[in-house]
Amino acid sequence: MCRWLAYSGSPVLLEDLLYKPEHSLIVQSMHSTMGAEPTNGDGFGVGWYGERETPGVFRSIEPAWNDRNLRDLSAHIPSPRVFAHIRAAIGSPVQQTNCHPFRQGRWRWMHNGFIDGFHAMKRDLAMAVDPDRFADMEGGTDSEMLLFLAMTFGLEDDPRAAVARAVGLVEETARRHHIQFPMQGTIATTDGTTTWAFRYSSEGRSRSLFHSTDIATLRQQYPDAPALHLLSDDARLVVSEPLGDLRGVWQEVPEASCVEIRAGEEKITPFKPLVPAGTV
Amino acid sequence: MCRWLAYSGSPVLLEDLLYKPEHSLIVQSMHSTMGAEPTNGDGFGVGWYGERETPGVFRSIEPAWNDRNLRDLSAHIPSPRVFAHIRAAIGSPVQQTNCHPFRQGRWRWMHNGFIDGFHAMKRDLAMAVDPDRFADMEGGTDSEMLLFLAMTFGLEDDPRAAVARAVGLVEETARRHHIQFPMQGTIATTDGTTTWAFRYSSEGRSRSLFHSTDIATLRQQYPDAPALHLLSDDARLVVSEPLGDLRGVWQEVPEASCVEIRAGEEKITPFKPLVPAGTV
Amino acid sequence: MCRWLAYSGSPVLLEDLLYKPEHSLIVQSMHSTMGAEPTNGDGFGVGWYGERETPGVFRSIEPAWNDRNLRDLSAHIPSPRVFAHIRAAIGSPVQQTNCHPFRQGRWRWMHNGFIDGFHAMKRDLAMAVDPDRFADMEGGTDSEMLLFLAMTFGLEDDPRAAVARAVGLVEETARRHHIQFPMQGTIATTDGTTTWAFRYSSEGRSRSLFHSTDIATLRQQYPDAPALHLLSDDARLVVSEPLGDLRGVWQEVPEASCVEIRAGEEKITPFKPLVPAGTV
Amino acid sequence: MCRWLAYSGSPVLLEDLLYKPEHSLIVQSMHSTMGAEPTNGDGFGVGWYGERETPGVFRSIEPAWNDRNLRDLSAHIPSPRVFAHIRAAIGSPVQQTNCHPFRQGRWRWMHNGFIDGFHAMKRDLAMAVDPDRFADMEGGTDSEMLLFLAMTFGLEDDPRAAVARAVGLVEETARRHHIQFPMQGTIATTDGTTTWAFRYSSEGRSRSLFHSTDIATLRQQYPDAPALHLLSDDARLVVSEPLGDLRGVWQEVPEASCVEIRAGEEKITPFKPLVPAGTV
C-alpha cells in the first residue's frame, strides 16, 4: 500500500535519494518490508522544487524498479526538496492521475494508506470539497480527495488545522455510514518551504513512518560514513520505511502526530482530527 | 475529437469492421477527414457482445494505428454487436478510464463531441448523478458524465427519454452558467439487443454521423461487391464518417435525431432535449 | 525470473486458467513461491489457438495483476491450447517484443530462465541463426534467440532434436567463451497440435516445472471437486509452479527431460543437448 | 517519418525549444508540414547535456503532444545542447529502445528517414558492426544500426568519415541485394561539444533539413523580436522543418552535405559516402 519519502536540505540529486541507499525506494518498489504489500509496482511519482516558480512532477504507471527514464532523470535533477512515492493500488485504476504526489499550485501531497468505505462515502466527501476546486480533481483516489478536502479547509493557511479538519470530516462522515475505522495512513505535504508529515489512523494502528536523526548527531556517531559528509547539516528525511540499517539514523514517528520540518528544524506535535464547523 | 462506429447484425470478426474497410476506423485514427482533428491518437476502445453474460471491452491509451494487440484480437473475436471508438482528447488526461466505450452493466456508451464549459458545470452535473452511482465514475470526462446522467434518468428503461433528459439537464445547467452552446456531439449506446445513436448539438451544427443503407438494397446496387455478400441482411452500421466511398452506402443522420436499430430494423425519430423534472 | 503455463484439452476460457486457480498465474505475478523472484511484473503474454488459421497473441508490458484488458479478454476467449507467461526481466528492456510467448508462424514459444553470458555470446549465436530468419527477430532477449536457433535447426520438423541442437550450440559457444553453466531454464513450444515442454540446465539445477496428473485419475481421487468435472479427460497442464495445493495433482518434471503432450497423451523422455554439425 | 531538432548555444530550457515556437516540435508531432507523414505520434525522445558526466535521455512511446511528463520536465531542465526527436514508425515496433536519440557513451544520434530494403540487408549490416559492440544494440531499427556502423567506423575519432563509411557500406550492401536507393534521410549526432548534421539520400531527394541563420544577423533584421534577444550569439539550431515563419531565419541545408557546429561557428561541407576498405 505505497511507500514514500520526503527530503529537505541542501540540493541533492534525486538519484542519491532514490537509488543509492541500500533499502532505497526503488528497492522498496519490489521488496518493501514494512508495507501492507511487499510489491509497490502500480506506478510512481517524484515531485521536486528547483529554481523555477512551479515545482516539477514526473509520474508514471510503470513499476519504478525498471524505469529507465526515472534513472536518467534522477541523475540529472538536483533539488533541495523532494517528494517521491511508489504505489500499490488496491483495485483502483492504475493511471498517471492516480499517482502521487498530487499537486495544487506550489503544494505537493502524498499518502500511504486508504479511506475504508471510500466508495460509500465518496459522494459525501466530494460534495464537501470547495465548489471552485471540485472540477480540478483528475483521478479517483481517496488520497487525492484528502488533498482537496485539506485545500478546502485552508491547507494554504494552516496545514495542520486543515489536515485535521479533513480527517475529521472523513471520520464524521464514516460515522453516518457505520464505518468503524475509516482513516488509515501517513500523509506528507509541502509548499516548497516547509514540509508537514502526518501519521494517524482511526484505529490507532498506522502505516509505518520514520524521520531521520539530525545530521550533526549522526556524524558524531559515524565519523567514517561518507554519505553523512555529503549531506548538509539541515538535511532531513521522513520515510515510510528506513532506507538503511544503520543504528540510530531512523526514529519512528509516533502514532497520531505531525512532524513539521522547516529550515532544518524539526518539530513534532500531537495530531488530532477536528470535526469542521458546519459539517453536513 | 473522436470517431466511432457501431455495428449490429450477424457475427463478424472485429477485424472486418476495424481494419478491412478502405477508410476504416484504424485509418481514421491517423487521417480522419470529417472530424474536428485529423488525428485521433489518444487511445481507443472496443466493446463487443458475445456468448458471455457480460460484454467485453478492450481499451488502451496507445494510438490505434500501431497497436498489435488490437490487430491480433480483432482477428480472433467475432461478434454480432460491436462498439469501437478512437479518441482525440482535448486536454483531458489520456488514461484507460477516459477511453470509450464506457460501461455500466450490459450497457455500452460512446460519444464524439464535448460539453462546452464542462469544467465550470462539472460539480453541478456530478451532483445530479444518482447518489448510488456517483462513486462508479472512474475517469473525468464529460462523455462518462453523460452516461451516468443518462443512467440516472432511466437509460435502462427508456433510453431515448433518458438521453433527452441528460442533455436537457446539461443545457439547463449551462443557462445558469451563461454558456451558450454546451452540448456537442454524437452518442451511441446499446444494451446488447438494441442500439441507439443520437446526433445533436445545442448550436445545431453537430459532429458528422452516418448510417448504412440496408444490405438488400445495396446488393441490388452492387451485385459484384463481395463484402456485401459476406454481410447478413440485418447488418447495420452507424459511423462518424463513412468507411468507404461507394455511392449510396452511407446516408447522413439528420441533425437532432435518434437512430434506433433492432433486429435489423432501423427507425429514425426526432431528438429533443427534455428539462428533467425537479432540476436543481 | 518468469513463470508460465501451457494448457491443452477441450476449450476452456482463458479466465479459468489465468484467474480461477488459487495460486493462479495472476497471483504468481505478485507472489510466486518457486521462482527466482517473487515478483514477475515486467509484462505478460498470452497465446491461444482458436478457429482462425493463425493463433492469437496478447502481450503487454504492464504487470499482469492489475491489467483490466487481460481480465476482460480472458472472460471472452475460449481455447483448446493456451500458452501464458509472466515476465521478470533481468535488466533487459521491458517492451512488448521482449514478452513471451514469441511466435513464428503457427508456433509459440516460452522460456523461464536465461543464458548466462548472453551478452558475450550474442553475436556468435545471432550468426548461427538462419540468415533468412535473422531479420525477423524483433526483441533482444536470449529467449527469443533460442526460438530462432531452434527454428534454424528444424523446430518445424523435429522439435526435440531442434531444441537439443539449439541448446547444444549454446553450450558449445559458451565453452569457447569460458562460461561454465550457460543454459538455464524451462521451455515450452507448440504448433497448435502438440506441446513440448523442456526442463534443462547446464548445471543440472533447473527452474521448477510440473505437469498435471491425468484427469480421470484425479476424478477418482477427488470425486467432489467441481473443477475436475469441468475439465475434459484429455486436459493437460504444464506449469512453472503448481496452481493449487491439492495433493496428487502436480508431479515434478524431472531434470533434463522433455514432456510431449498430444491428444491428451503424455510422454516423457530424457533431454540431452546435441552439438550441431558444422558448428562455428 | 520523424522530425527532429538539434540546438547548441547558451543554456535554454527544453521548454523554450520544444513548446514555445509557433511550429514547435510538439506541434509537428501532430501536424508536421514537410515530413512524409503529418503525424509523428509513435514516441519521442529528448537528449540533453548538462553538468553531469553522462548526458541525459528521456524517451517514451507516447505521442509527444499530450505527454505531461515531457511538459513538466522541459520546464525544469536547462541545457546548452539538446537533441529532440518525434517518431513516425513505419511498421517497426513502437518501444522505448526504438526511440531516438540513441546513445553510446557521450554520443547522441538521431535519424529521420529509413534504409530501403533493411529487412533483406539487416544481417549483412549487423555482421559489419564491431563484434564488441554488437550486443549493445537494444532495438531493431535501421536508425540504431546506422549509429553502430558509424561507431564501428570511428565515429568517436572522425564523425564525418565514419558516417560516410557507414552510408557507403549500406549502399554497397544494397547493390548486392539489388536495392536501388537504399539510403534516405537526415542524421544528427553529437559528442556534447560539436554537432554534425547530415542530409543525404541515395536518390538525391532527401528529407527536409534547415539550419538557422546566425543570431547577430537576425537581430539586425528583427530588432523588435524578443526571442532573438533571449538567445545567445552562438545559438544554433538544425531542424527537420522550420519552427516558425519569420523570413530569413531558416536556410535549407543542401542535398548531400554536412553541417558542423562548434562553439557557435558553422561549417557546411559536401557529404559523399565512402565504401569502407575490406567490405564483405
Side-chain angles (χ1 to χ4, degrees):
Chain A
M1 288 202 37
C2 312
R3 305 273 78 188
W4 55 259
L5 78 77
Y7 168 83
S8 61
S10 295
V12 293
L13 286 174
L14 300 191
E15 178 184 66
D16 292 334
L17 296 170
L18 300 182
Y19 287 90
K20 295 265 169 80
E22 188 186 335
H23 193 61
S24 70
L25 207 65
I26 300 302
V27 169
Q28 291 174 42
S29 65
M30 196 179 282
H31 295 299
S32 72
T33 52
M34 295 185 181
E37 270 283 356
T39 309
N40 299 274
D42 296 320
F44 65 87
V46 185
W48 72 94
Y49 291 77
E51 293 158 42
R52 297 279 288 176
E53 179 74 28
T54 326
V57 171
F58 173 57
R59 300 192 294 186
S60 169
I61 59 173
E62 302 304 327
W65 61 74
N66 256 344
D67 199 279
R68 293 178 155 198
N69 286 325
L70 181 61
R71 192 176 270 284
D72 253 290
L73 294 165
S74 297
H76 282 86
I77 296 174
S79 175
R81 191 169 301 264
V82 179
F83 267 29
H85 181 279
I86 49 180
R87 189 171 182 233
I90 336 174
S92 122
V94 177
Q95 55 199 27
Q96 267 190 39
T97 54
N98 283 353
C99 292
H100 318 210
F102 298 97
R103 63 173 141 184
Q104 282 293 289
R106 275 190 67 80
W107 288 80
R108 295 288 175 269
W109 177 275
M110 307 188 287
H111 174 219
N112 163 219
F114 60 93
I115 292 176
D116 191 30
F118 182 60
H119 196 268
M121 296 200 281
K122 191 170 184 178
R123 188 178 189 272
D124 288 351
L125 298 177
M127 285 186 73
V129 168
D130 175 354
D132 290 335
R133 292 188 186 274
F134 178 90
D136 293 338
M137 285 189 285
E138 282 193 318
T141 62
D142 42 15
S143 304
E144 186 186 27
M145 183 75 77
L146 281 168
L147 164 59
F148 276 78
L149 289 171
M151 273 278 157
T152 301
F153 294 128
L155 182 68
E156 291 163 311
D157 303 314
D158 185 343
R160 286 197 293 148
V163 175
R165 289 195 168 91
V167 175
L169 174 74
V170 169
E171 292 191 329
E172 173 64 29
T173 307
R175 271 188 281 276
R176 288 205 316 276
H177 287 265
H178 310 297
I179 292 155
Q180 193 181 16
F181 300 123
M183 188 64 202
Q184 168 54 265
T186 62
I187 288 168
T189 188
T190 183
D191 62 353
T193 304
T194 309
T195 294
W196 294 265
F198 301 81
R199 187 181 187 210
Y200 175 80
S201 57
S202 309
E203 201 185 358
R205 296 173 55 176
S206 307
R207 294 285 187 260
S208 60
L209 194 66
F210 295 81
H211 63 117
S212 61
T213 307
D214 69 286
I215 300 299
T217 304
L218 288 175
R219 280 201 206 106
Q220 287 179 348
Q221 247 174 300
Y222 298 101
D224 299 321
L228 295 173
H229 294 277
L230 292 173
L231 290 173
S232 56
D233 284 357
D234 62 350
R236 292 278 182 188
L237 274 155
V238 185
V239 293
S240 295
E241 54 188 80
L243 304 183
D245 279 348
L246 224 49
R247 200 173 287 256
V249 176
W250 306 100
Q251 302 171 53
E252 200 177 16
V253 173
E255 280 281 354
S257 57
C258 168
V259 184
E260 182 175 322
I261 296 169
R262 187 185 177 97
E265 291 303 314
E266 187 183 79
K267 190 168 72 177
I268 300 183
T269 52
F271 174 82
K272 194 172 139 76
L274 286 168
V275 180
T279 308
V280 170
Chain B
M1 288 204 33
C2 311
R3 304 274 78 189
W4 54 259
L5 78 76
Y7 167 81
S8 60
S10 297
V12 292
L13 285 173
L14 299 191
E15 176 184 66
D16 292 334
L17 296 170
L18 300 182
Y19 287 89
K20 294 267 171 78
E22 189 188 334
H23 191 61
S24 71
L25 207 64
I26 300 302
V27 169
Q28 292 175 37
S29 66
M30 199 181 281
H31 295 301
S32 71
T33 51
M34 296 184 182
E37 270 284 354
T39 309
N40 300 275
D42 296 321
F44 65 87
V46 185
W48 72 93
Y49 291 77
E51 293 159 350
R52 297 279 288 177
E53 180 73 32
T54 326
V57 170
F58 173 58
R59 301 191 294 186
S60 170
I61 60 173
E62 303 302 330
W65 60 73
N66 256 343
D67 198 282
R68 295 179 156 198
N69 286 323
L70 181 62
R71 191 174 271 283
D72 253 291
L73 293 165
S74 297
H76 282 88
I77 296 175
S79 176
R81 189 170 302 265
V82 179
F83 267 29
H85 181 280
I86 49 179
R87 186 172 184 232
I90 336 172
S92 124
V94 176
Q95 54 199 28
Q96 267 190 39
T97 54
N98 283 352
C99 292
H100 319 209
F102 298 98
R103 61 172 140 183
Q104 282 292 289
R106 276 190 65 81
W107 290 80
R108 294 289 174 272
W109 176 276
M110 306 189 288
H111 175 221
N112 164 220
F114 60 93
I115 293 176
D116 190 31
F118 183 60
H119 195 268
M121 295 199 283
K122 191 171 184 179
R123 188 180 188 273
D124 288 350
L125 299 177
M127 294 302 119
V129 168
D130 176 350
D132 291 333
R133 293 188 185 272
F134 178 90
D136 293 336
M137 286 189 286
E138 283 193 315
T141 62
D142 42 16
S143 305
E144 187 187 25
M145 184 75 76
L146 281 169
L147 164 60
F148 276 78
L149 290 171
M151 274 276 157
T152 300
F153 294 126
L155 182 70
E156 292 164 312
D157 303 314
D158 184 343
R160 288 196 293 147
V163 175
R165 289 195 168 91
V167 176
L169 175 72
V170 168
E171 292 191 327
E172 174 64 31
T173 307
R175 271 188 283 275
R176 287 204 319 274
H177 287 267
H178 310 296
I179 293 156
Q180 191 179 19
F181 299 121
M183 188 63 201
Q184 167 54 266
T186 62
I187 288 168
T189 189
T190 181
D191 62 354
T193 304
T194 309
T195 293
W196 295 265
F198 302 83
R199 184 180 189 213
Y200 175 82
S201 57
S202 309
E203 199 183 0
R205 295 171 57 173
S206 306
R207 293 287 185 261
S208 60
L209 194 65
F210 295 81
H211 62 117
S212 60
T213 307
D214 68 286
I215 299 300
T217 303
L218 287 176
R219 282 204 204 103
Q220 286 179 348
Q221 245 174 302
Y222 298 102
D224 297 321
L228 295 173
H229 294 277
L230 291 174
L231 289 173
S232 56
D233 285 358
D234 62 349
R236 292 276 183 189
L237 273 156
V238 185
V239 292
S240 294
E241 54 188 82
L243 304 183
D245 279 346
L246 224 48
R247 200 172 288 253
V249 174
W250 306 101
Q251 303 171 51
E252 198 177 18
V253 173
E255 281 279 355
S257 58
C258 169
V259 184
E260 182 175 323
I261 296 169
R262 187 186 176 98
E265 291 304 315
E266 188 183 78
K267 188 169 72 176
I268 300 183
T269 52
F271 174 81
K272 194 171 137 76
L274 284 168
V275 178
T279 309
V280 169
Chain C
M1 286 199 35
C2 310
R3 303 275 79 189
W4 55 260
L5 77 77
Y7 168 81
S8 58
S10 296
V12 293
L13 286 172
L14 299 191
E15 176 183 67
D16 293 333
L17 295 170
L18 299 182
Y19 287 89
K20 294 268 171 77
E22 189 187 334
H23 192 61
S24 69
L25 207 64
I26 299 303
V27 169
Q28 290 176 40
S29 66
M30 199 179 281
H31 296 300
S32 71
T33 52
M34 295 184 182
E37 271 283 356
T39 310
N40 299 276
D42 296 320
F44 65 87
V46 185
W48 71 94
Y49 291 77
E51 292 157 351
R52 297 279 290 177
E53 180 73 29
T54 325
V57 171
F58 173 57
R59 300 192 295 185
S60 170
I61 60 173
E62 302 303 328
W65 60 75
N66 257 343
D67 198 281
R68 294 178 157 199
N69 285 325
L70 181 62
R71 192 173 269 284
D72 253 290
L73 295 165
S74 297
H76 282 86
I77 297 175
S79 174
R81 190 170 303 264
V82 180
F83 266 29
H85 181 280
I86 50 179
R87 187 172 183 234
I90 335 171
S92 124
V94 176
Q95 55 199 28
Q96 268 190 38
T97 54
N98 283 351
C99 291
H100 318 210
F102 298 97
R103 60 174 142 182
Q104 282 291 290
R106 275 188 67 80
W107 289 79
R108 294 290 173 271
W109 177 277
M110 307 188 288
H111 175 220
N112 163 222
F114 60 93
I115 293 176
D116 190 32
F118 182 60
H119 196 269
M121 295 200 284
K122 191 171 183 180
R123 188 179 189 273
D124 288 349
L125 298 176
M127 285 187 69
V129 167
D130 176 353
D132 290 335
R133 293 188 184 273
F134 178 90
D136 293 336
M137 286 189 286
E138 284 194 316
T141 62
D142 42 18
S143 305
E144 187 186 26
M145 184 76 76
L146 281 169
L147 164 59
F148 277 78
L149 289 172
M151 274 276 159
T152 301
F153 294 126
L155 182 69
E156 292 163 312
D157 304 314
D158 184 344
R160 288 197 292 146
V163 174
R165 288 195 169 90
V167 176
L169 175 73
V170 168
E171 292 191 328
E172 174 63 32
T173 308
R175 272 187 283 275
R176 288 203 319 273
H177 287 266
H178 309 296
I179 293 155
Q180 191 178 18
F181 299 122
M183 189 63 202
Q184 168 55 264
T186 62
I187 289 168
T189 188
T190 182
D191 62 355
T193 306
T194 310
T195 293
W196 294 265
F198 302 82
R199 185 180 187 212
Y200 175 83
S201 57
S202 310
E203 201 184 358
R205 296 171 57 173
S206 307
R207 293 287 185 264
S208 59
L209 194 65
F210 295 80
H211 62 118
S212 61
T213 306
D214 70 284
I215 300 300
T217 303
L218 288 175
R219 282 203 203 103
Q220 286 179 348
Q221 248 175 296
Y222 298 102
D224 299 323
L228 294 173
H229 293 277
L230 292 174
L231 289 173
S232 56
D233 284 358
D234 62 349
R236 291 279 183 185
L237 274 156
V238 185
V239 293
S240 294
E241 54 188 81
L243 305 184
D245 278 346
L246 224 48
R247 201 172 288 252
V249 175
W250 306 101
Q251 302 171 52
E252 199 177 16
V253 173
E255 281 278 355
S257 56
C258 169
V259 183
E260 182 175 323
I261 296 168
R262 187 185 176 100
E265 290 304 315
E266 188 183 78
K267 188 168 73 176
I268 300 183
T269 52
F271 175 80
K272 194 172 138 78
L274 285 167
V275 178
T279 309
V280 169
Chain D
M1 289 201 36
C2 310
R3 305 274 79 189
W4 55 258
L5 77 76
Y7 169 80
S8 61
S10 295
V12 293
L13 285 173
L14 299 191
E15 177 184 66
D16 292 334
L17 296 170
L18 299 181
Y19 287 91
K20 295 268 169 79
E22 188 187 336
H23 192 62
S24 71
L25 206 64
I26 299 303
V27 169
Q28 291 175 40
S29 65
M30 198 178 282
H31 295 300
S32 72
T33 52
M34 295 184 182
E37 270 283 353
T39 309
N40 299 275
D42 297 319
F44 65 86
V46 186
W48 72 93
Y49 291 77
E51 293 157 40
R52 298 279 289 175
E53 179 75 29
T54 326
V57 171
F58 173 58
R59 300 191 294 185
S60 170
I61 60 174
E62 302 303 328
W65 60 73
N66 256 344
D67 199 281
R68 296 179 154 197
N69 286 325
L70 181 61
R71 192 177 269 283
D72 254 291
L73 294 165
S74 297
H76 282 87
I77 296 175
S79 175
R81 189 170 303 265
V82 179
F83 267 29
H85 181 279
I86 49 180
R87 189 173 182 232
I90 334 171
S92 123
V94 176
Q95 57 199 28
Q96 268 190 38
T97 54
N98 282 353
C99 292
H100 319 211
F102 298 97
R103 61 174 143 180
Q104 282 291 289
R106 277 189 65 81
W107 289 78
R108 295 289 175 270
W109 176 275
M110 308 188 287
H111 174 220
N112 162 220
F114 60 93
I115 293 177
D116 190 31
F118 183 59
H119 196 269
M121 294 200 283
K122 191 170 183 180
R123 188 179 187 272
D124 287 350
L125 298 178
M127 293 306 119
V129 168
D130 175 353
D132 290 334
R133 293 188 186 272
F134 178 90
D136 294 337
M137 286 189 284
E138 283 193 316
T141 62
D142 43 15
S143 305
E144 187 187 25
M145 184 74 78
L146 280 169
L147 164 60
F148 277 78
L149 289 172
M151 274 276 158
T152 302
F153 294 127
L155 182 68
E156 291 163 313
D157 304 316
D158 185 343
R160 287 196 293 147
V163 175
R165 288 197 168 90
V167 175
L169 174 73
V170 168
E171 293 191 327
E172 173 64 29
T173 307
R175 271 187 284 274
R176 288 203 319 274
H177 286 266
H178 309 298
I179 293 154
Q180 191 178 18
F181 299 123
M183 188 64 201
Q184 167 55 266
T186 62
I187 289 168
T189 188
T190 181
D191 62 355
T193 305
T194 310
T195 294
W196 294 266
F198 302 83
R199 186 182 188 211
Y200 174 81
S201 57
S202 310
E203 200 184 358
R205 298 172 54 174
S206 306
R207 294 287 186 259
S208 60
L209 194 64
F210 295 82
H211 62 118
S212 61
T213 307
D214 69 287
I215 300 298
T217 303
L218 288 176
R219 281 203 203 104
Q220 286 179 350
Q221 248 175 299
Y222 297 102
D224 298 321
L228 294 173
H229 294 276
L230 293 174
L231 290 173
S232 56
D233 285 359
D234 61 350
R236 291 279 181 187
L237 274 156
V238 184
V239 293
S240 294
E241 54 189 79
L243 305 182
D245 278 346
L246 225 49
R247 199 172 291 253
V249 175
W250 305 100
Q251 303 170 51
E252 198 176 18
V253 173
E255 280 280 355
S257 58
C258 169
V259 183
E260 184 176 320
I261 296 168
R262 187 186 176 97
E265 292 303 316
E266 189 184 76
K267 188 168 75 177
I268 300 182
T269 52
F271 174 81
K272 193 172 139 75
L274 286 168
V275 178
T279 310
V280 169

mmCIF file of all heavy atoms in Angstrom, chain A residues 19-31:
data_model
loop_
_atom_site.group_PDB
_atom_site.id
_atom_site.type_symbol
_atom_site.label_atom_id
_atom_site.label_comp_id
_atom_site.label_asym_id
_atom_site.label_seq_id
_atom_site.Cartn_x
_atom_site.Cartn_y
_atom_site.Cartn_z
ATOM 1 N N TYR A 19 18.061 5.973 -5.501
ATOM 2 C CA TYR A 19 18.764 4.772 -5.942
ATOM 3 C C TYR A 19 19.926 4.359 -5.057
ATOM 4 O O TYR A 19 20.233 3.183 -4.944
ATOM 5 C CB TYR A 19 19.293 4.986 -7.368
ATOM 6 C CG TYR A 19 18.219 4.955 -8.420
ATOM 7 C CD1 TYR A 19 17.553 6.128 -8.802
ATOM 8 C CD2 TYR A 19 17.834 3.758 -9.024
ATOM 9 C CE1 TYR A 19 16.546 6.088 -9.742
ATOM 10 C CE2 TYR A 19 16.822 3.719 -9.976
ATOM 11 C CZ TYR A 19 16.191 4.884 -10.328
ATOM 12 O OH TYR A 19 15.190 4.841 -11.271
ATOM 13 N N LYS A 20 20.586 5.318 -4.459
ATOM 14 C CA LYS A 20 21.822 4.998 -3.759
ATOM 15 C C LYS A 20 21.656 4.228 -2.443
ATOM 16 O O LYS A 20 22.446 3.345 -2.135
ATOM 17 C CB LYS A 20 22.619 6.291 -3.494
ATOM 18 C CG LYS A 20 23.112 6.980 -4.752
ATOM 19 C CD LYS A 20 24.529 6.592 -5.095
ATOM 20 C CE LYS A 20 24.906 7.063 -6.491
ATOM 21 N NZ LYS A 20 25.264 8.498 -6.517
ATOM 22 N N PRO A 21 20.643 4.553 -1.639
ATOM 23 C CA PRO A 21 20.557 3.873 -0.345
ATOM 24 C C PRO A 21 20.373 2.369 -0.486
ATOM 25 O O PRO A 21 19.865 1.884 -1.510
ATOM 26 C CB PRO A 21 19.322 4.518 0.310
ATOM 27 C CG PRO A 21 19.199 5.852 -0.340
ATOM 28 C CD PRO A 21 19.631 5.624 -1.770
ATOM 29 N N GLU A 22 20.784 1.648 0.530
ATOM 30 C CA GLU A 22 20.723 0.191 0.491
ATOM 31 C C GLU A 22 19.286 -0.311 0.353
ATOM 32 O O GLU A 22 19.015 -1.242 -0.404
ATOM 33 C CB GLU A 22 21.339 -0.341 1.782
ATOM 34 C CG GLU A 22 21.519 -1.842 1.814
ATOM 35 C CD GLU A 22 21.991 -2.292 3.175
ATOM 36 O OE1 GLU A 22 22.606 -1.480 3.907
ATOM 37 O OE2 GLU A 22 21.722 -3.457 3.536
ATOM 38 N N HIS A 23 18.388 0.288 1.090
ATOM 39 C CA HIS A 23 16.976 -0.092 1.023
ATOM 40 C C HIS A 23 16.203 1.101 0.454
ATOM 41 O O HIS A 23 15.280 1.620 1.066
ATOM 42 C CB HIS A 23 16.482 -0.468 2.425
ATOM 43 C CG HIS A 23 15.149 -1.156 2.438
ATOM 44 N ND1 HIS A 23 14.903 -2.356 1.806
ATOM 45 C CD2 HIS A 23 13.973 -0.801 3.000
ATOM 46 C CE1 HIS A 23 13.641 -2.713 1.991
ATOM 47 N NE2 HIS A 23 13.045 -1.793 2.708
ATOM 48 N N SER A 24 16.637 1.493 -0.729
ATOM 49 C CA SER A 24 16.071 2.677 -1.370
ATOM 50 C C SER A 24 14.610 2.490 -1.746
ATOM 51 O O SER A 24 14.081 1.379 -1.700
ATOM 52 C CB SER A 24 16.847 2.963 -2.666
ATOM 53 O OG SER A 24 16.544 1.941 -3.617
ATOM 54 N N LEU A 25 13.988 3.566 -2.127
ATOM 55 C CA LEU A 25 12.585 3.497 -2.550
ATOM 56 C C LEU A 25 12.467 2.578 -3.765
ATOM 57 O O LEU A 25 11.462 1.867 -3.916
ATOM 58 C CB LEU A 25 12.092 4.912 -2.879
ATOM 59 C CG LEU A 25 10.588 5.149 -2.719
ATOM 60 C CD1 LEU A 25 10.167 5.022 -1.261
ATOM 61 C CD2 LEU A 25 10.232 6.538 -3.226
ATOM 62 N N ILE A 26 13.479 2.561 -4.608
ATOM 63 C CA ILE A 26 13.440 1.682 -5.778
ATOM 64 C C ILE A 26 13.484 0.219 -5.336
ATOM 65 O O ILE A 26 12.752 -0.621 -5.857
ATOM 66 C CB ILE A 26 14.609 2.002 -6.737
ATOM 67 C CG1 ILE A 26 14.522 3.454 -7.216
ATOM 68 C CG2 ILE A 26 14.633 1.039 -7.908
ATOM 69 C CD1 ILE A 26 13.247 3.819 -7.928
ATOM 70 N N VAL A 27 14.314 -0.085 -4.355
ATOM 71 C CA VAL A 27 14.331 -1.445 -3.806
ATOM 72 C C VAL A 27 12.965 -1.753 -3.202
ATOM 73 O O VAL A 27 12.409 -2.832 -3.386
ATOM 74 C CB VAL A 27 15.435 -1.581 -2.732
ATOM 75 C CG1 VAL A 27 15.290 -2.898 -1.973
ATOM 76 C CG2 VAL A 27 16.813 -1.492 -3.379
ATOM 77 N N GLN A 28 12.410 -0.783 -2.473
ATOM 78 C CA GLN A 28 11.115 -0.995 -1.822
ATOM 79 C C GLN A 28 9.996 -1.217 -2.838
ATOM 80 O O GLN A 28 8.980 -1.811 -2.507
ATOM 81 C CB GLN A 28 10.750 0.206 -0.943
ATOM 82 C CG GLN A 28 11.628 0.375 0.289
ATOM 83 C CD GLN A 28 11.285 1.660 1.022
ATOM 84 O OE1 GLN A 28 10.127 2.011 1.182
ATOM 85 N NE2 GLN A 28 12.310 2.375 1.487
ATOM 86 N N SER A 29 10.187 -0.735 -4.066
ATOM 87 C CA SER A 29 9.114 -0.942 -5.044
ATOM 88 C C SER A 29 8.930 -2.430 -5.312
ATOM 89 O O SER A 29 7.835 -2.887 -5.601
ATOM 90 C CB SER A 29 9.379 -0.172 -6.339
ATOM 91 O OG SER A 29 10.519 -0.649 -7.024
ATOM 92 N N MET A 30 10.011 -3.195 -5.131
ATOM 93 C CA MET A 30 9.871 -4.636 -5.313
ATOM 94 C C MET A 30 9.872 -5.393 -3.991
ATOM 95 O O MET A 30 9.264 -6.443 -3.873
ATOM 96 C CB MET A 30 10.948 -5.177 -6.258
ATOM 97 C CG MET A 30 10.566 -6.576 -6.765
ATOM 98 S SD MET A 30 11.724 -7.352 -7.906
ATOM 99 C CE MET A 30 11.342 -6.504 -9.438
ATOM 100 N N HIS A 31 10.531 -4.837 -2.988
ATOM 101 C CA HIS A 31 10.646 -5.587 -1.728
ATOM 102 C C HIS A 31 10.496 -4.710 -0.491
ATOM 103 O O HIS A 31 11.424 -4.623 0.309
ATOM 104 C CB HIS A 31 12.050 -6.205 -1.624
ATOM 105 C CG HIS A 31 12.345 -7.242 -2.652
ATOM 106 N ND1 HIS A 31 11.642 -8.398 -2.769
ATOM 107 C CD2 HIS A 31 13.303 -7.278 -3.609
ATOM 108 C CE1 HIS A 31 12.153 -9.106 -3.749
ATOM 109 N NE2 HIS A 31 13.152 -8.458 -4.279
#
